Coordinates of all heavy atoms in Angstrom, one line a residue:
L1 N -9.1 5.1 2.5 CA -8.0 5.9 2.8 C -8.2 7.4 2.3 O -7.9 8.3 3.0 CB -6.6 5.4 2.3 CG -6.1 4.1 2.9 CD1 -4.8 3.7 2.1 CD2 -5.8 4.3 4.4
E2 N -8.7 7.5 1.1 CA -9.0 8.8 0.5 C -10.1 9.5 1.3 O -10.1 10.7 1.5 CB -9.4 8.6 -0.9 CG -9.5 10.0 -1.7 CD -9.8 9.8 -3.1 OE1 -10.9 9.4 -3.5 OE2 -8.9 10.1 -3.9
D3 N -11.1 8.7 1.8 CA -12.2 9.3 2.6 C -11.6 10.0 3.9 O -12.1 11.0 4.3 CB -13.2 8.2 3.0 CG -14.1 7.9 1.9 OD1 -14.3 8.7 1.0 OD2 -14.6 6.7 1.9
I4 N -10.6 9.3 4.5 CA -10.1 9.8 5.7 C -9.1 10.9 5.5 O -9.0 11.9 6.3 CB -9.3 8.7 6.5 CG1 -10.3 7.5 6.8 CG2 -8.7 9.1 7.8 CD1 -9.7 6.2 7.3
S5 N -8.4 10.9 4.4 CA -7.3 11.8 4.1 C -7.8 13.2 3.7 O -9.0 13.4 3.3 CB -6.5 11.3 2.9 OG -5.4 12.2 2.6
K6 N -7.0 14.2 4.0 CA -7.4 15.6 3.6 C -7.2 15.9 2.1 O -7.6 16.9 1.6 CB -6.5 16.6 4.5 CG -6.9 16.6 5.9 CD -8.2 17.2 6.2 CE -8.5 17.3 7.7 NZ -9.9 17.9 7.9
H7 N -6.5 15.0 1.4 CA -6.2 15.2 0.0 C -6.4 13.9 -0.7 O -6.4 12.8 -0.1 CB -4.8 15.7 -0.2 CG -3.8 15.1 0.6 ND1 -3.4 15.5 1.8 CD2 -3.0 13.9 0.3 CE1 -2.4 14.7 2.3 NE2 -2.2 13.8 1.4
S8 N -6.6 13.9 -2.0 CA -6.9 12.7 -2.7 C -5.7 11.9 -3.2 O -4.6 12.4 -3.0 CB -7.8 13.1 -4.0 OG -6.9 13.6 -5.0
Y9 N -6.0 10.8 -3.8 CA -4.9 10.0 -4.4 C -4.3 10.7 -5.6 O -3.2 10.4 -6.1 CB -5.5 8.7 -4.9 CG -5.0 7.5 -4.0 CD1 -5.7 7.2 -2.8 CD2 -3.9 6.8 -4.2 CE1 -5.3 6.2 -2.0 CE2 -3.4 5.8 -3.4 CZ -4.2 5.5 -2.3 OH -3.7 4.5 -1.4
F10 N -5.0 11.7 -6.2 CA -4.5 12.4 -7.4 C -4.1 13.8 -7.1 O -4.6 14.8 -7.6 CB -5.6 12.4 -8.5 CG -6.1 11.0 -8.9 CD1 -7.4 10.7 -9.0 CD2 -5.1 10.0 -9.1 CE1 -7.8 9.4 -9.4 CE2 -5.5 8.7 -9.5 CZ -6.8 8.4 -9.6
N11 N -3.1 13.9 -6.2 CA -2.6 15.3 -5.9 C -1.8 15.9 -7.1 O -1.8 17.0 -7.3 CB -1.6 15.2 -4.7 CG -2.3 14.9 -3.4 OD1 -3.1 15.6 -3.0 ND2 -2.0 13.7 -2.9
N12 N -1.3 15.0 -7.9 CA -0.5 15.4 -9.1 C -1.0 14.6 -10.2 O -0.4 13.5 -10.5 CB 1.0 15.3 -8.8 CG 1.8 15.9 -10.0 OD1 1.3 16.2 -11.1 ND2 3.0 16.2 -9.7
K13 N -2.0 15.0 -10.9 CA -2.6 14.2 -12.0 C -1.6 13.9 -13.1 O -1.7 13.0 -13.9 CB -3.9 14.8 -12.5 CG -5.0 14.8 -11.5 CD -6.3 15.3 -12.1 CE -6.3 16.8 -12.3 NZ -7.6 17.3 -12.8
S14 N -0.6 14.8 -13.3 CA 0.3 14.7 -14.4 C 1.2 13.4 -14.4 O 1.7 12.9 -15.3 CB 1.2 15.9 -14.5 OG 2.1 16.0 -13.3
L15 N 1.3 12.9 -13.1 CA 2.0 11.7 -13.0 C 1.4 10.5 -13.7 O 2.1 9.5 -14.1 CB 2.2 11.3 -11.5 CG 3.1 12.2 -10.7 CD1 3.0 11.9 -9.2 CD2 4.5 12.0 -11.1
R16 N 0.1 10.6 -13.9 CA -0.6 9.4 -14.6 C -1.2 9.9 -15.9 O -1.6 9.1 -16.7 CB -1.8 8.9 -13.8 CG -1.3 8.2 -12.5 CD -2.5 7.8 -11.7 NE -2.2 7.5 -10.4 CZ -2.0 8.4 -9.4 NH1 -2.2 9.7 -9.8 NH2 -1.6 8.1 -8.2
G17 N -1.3 11.2 -16.1 CA -1.8 11.7 -17.4 C -3.3 11.4 -17.4 O -3.9 11.4 -18.5
N18 N -4.0 11.3 -16.3 CA -5.4 11.1 -16.3 C -6.2 12.3 -16.0 O -5.6 13.4 -15.7 CB -5.8 9.9 -15.3 CG -5.6 10.4 -13.9 OD1 -6.1 11.4 -13.4 ND2 -5.0 9.5 -13.1
T19 N -7.5 12.3 -16.1 CA -8.3 13.5 -15.9 C -9.1 13.5 -14.6 O -10.0 14.3 -14.4 CB -9.3 13.7 -17.1 OG1 -10.1 12.5 -17.2 CG2 -8.5 13.8 -18.4
F20 N -8.9 12.5 -13.8 CA -9.7 12.4 -12.5 C -9.1 13.2 -11.4 O -7.8 13.4 -11.3 CB -9.7 10.9 -12.1 CG -10.2 10.0 -13.1 CD1 -9.5 9.1 -13.8 CD2 -11.6 10.0 -13.4 CE1 -10.0 8.2 -14.7 CE2 -12.2 9.2 -14.4 CZ -11.4 8.3 -15.0
S21 N -10.0 13.8 -10.6 CA -9.5 14.6 -9.5 C -9.4 13.7 -8.2 O -8.6 14.1 -7.3 CB -10.5 15.7 -9.2 OG -10.6 16.6 -10.3
T22 N -10.2 12.7 -8.1 CA -10.1 11.8 -7.0 C -10.2 10.3 -7.3 O -10.7 10.0 -8.5 CB -11.3 12.1 -6.0 OG1 -12.5 11.8 -6.6 CG2 -11.3 13.6 -5.6
L23 N -9.8 9.5 -6.4 CA -10.0 8.1 -6.7 C -11.5 7.7 -6.8 O -11.9 6.8 -7.6 CB -9.3 7.3 -5.6 CG -9.1 5.8 -5.9 CD1 -8.1 5.6 -7.0 CD2 -8.5 5.1 -4.6
H24 N -12.3 8.4 -6.0 CA -13.7 8.1 -6.0 C -14.3 8.5 -7.4 O -15.2 7.8 -7.9 CB -14.4 8.9 -4.9 CG -14.4 8.2 -3.6 ND1 -13.2 8.2 -2.8 CD2 -15.3 7.5 -2.9 CE1 -13.5 7.6 -1.7 NE2 -14.7 7.1 -1.7
E25 N -13.8 9.5 -8.0 CA -14.3 10.0 -9.3 C -13.9 8.9 -10.3 O -14.7 8.5 -11.2 CB -13.6 11.3 -9.7 CG -14.2 11.9 -11.0 CD -13.5 13.2 -11.3 OE1 -13.4 14.0 -10.4 OE2 -13.1 13.4 -12.4
M26 N -12.7 8.4 -10.2 CA -12.3 7.2 -11.1 C -13.2 6.0 -10.9 O -13.6 5.3 -11.8 CB -10.8 6.9 -10.9 CG -10.3 5.8 -11.8 SD -8.5 5.5 -11.6 CE -8.2 4.4 -13.0
N27 N -13.5 5.7 -9.6 CA -14.3 4.6 -9.3 C -15.7 4.7 -9.9 O -16.2 3.8 -10.4 CB -14.5 4.5 -7.7 CG -15.3 3.3 -7.3 OD1 -14.9 2.2 -7.3 ND2 -16.5 3.6 -6.9
D28 N -16.3 5.9 -9.8 CA -17.6 6.2 -10.5 C -17.6 5.9 -11.9 O -18.5 5.4 -12.5 CB -18.1 7.6 -10.1 CG -18.4 7.8 -8.6 OD1 -18.6 6.7 -7.9 OD2 -18.5 8.9 -8.2
F29 N -16.5 6.4 -12.6 CA -16.3 6.2 -14.0 C -16.2 4.8 -14.4 O -16.9 4.3 -15.3 CB -15.1 7.0 -14.5 CG -14.7 6.7 -15.9 CD1 -15.4 7.3 -17.0 CD2 -13.7 5.8 -16.2 CE1 -15.1 7.1 -18.3 CE2 -13.4 5.5 -17.5 CZ -14.1 6.2 -18.6
L30 N -15.4 4.0 -13.6 CA -15.3 2.6 -13.9 C -16.6 1.9 -13.7 O -16.9 0.9 -14.4 CB -14.1 2.0 -13.2 CG -12.7 2.6 -13.5 CD1 -11.7 2.0 -12.6 CD2 -12.4 2.2 -15.0
D31 N -17.3 2.3 -12.7 CA -18.6 1.6 -12.4 C -19.5 1.8 -13.6 O -20.2 0.9 -14.0 CB -19.3 2.3 -11.2 CG -18.7 1.8 -9.8 OD1 -18.0 0.8 -9.8 OD2 -19.1 2.4 -8.8
R32 N -19.6 3.0 -14.2 CA -20.4 3.3 -15.3 C -19.9 2.5 -16.5 O -20.8 1.9 -17.2 CB -20.4 4.8 -15.7 CG -21.1 5.7 -14.6 CD -21.3 7.1 -15.2 NE -20.1 7.8 -15.5 CZ -19.4 8.5 -14.6 NH1 -19.9 8.6 -13.3 NH2 -18.3 9.1 -14.9
E33 N -18.6 2.3 -16.7 CA -18.1 1.6 -17.8 C -18.4 0.1 -17.6 O -18.8 -0.6 -18.6 CB -16.6 1.8 -17.9 CG -16.1 3.1 -18.4 CD -16.6 3.5 -19.8 OE1 -16.3 2.7 -20.7 OE2 -17.4 4.4 -20.0

């Protein structure tokens, strides 16, 4: 869905308090972990 969309899952990062810009970025981080 994020690939197709013009904007990411993290339009407003403050809602989660995380540092990721996109869901893919979070996915890459979790892959490394």
Side-chain angles (χ1 to χ4, degrees):
L1 291 177
E2 189 176 70
D3 284 335
I4 301 170
S5 180
K6 291 292 184 180
H7 45 270
S8 80
Y9 254 87
F10 299 136
N11 292 297
N12 187 343
K13 291 186 287 186
S14 64
L15 287 173
R16 293 179 197 81
N18 68 49
T19 59
F20 301 110
S21 298
T22 67
L23 195 65
H24 279 75
E25 187 178 316
M26 183 177 187
N27 181 75
D28 292 342
F29 171 80
L30 293 174
D31 280 348
R32 291 193 297 271
E33 290 297 302

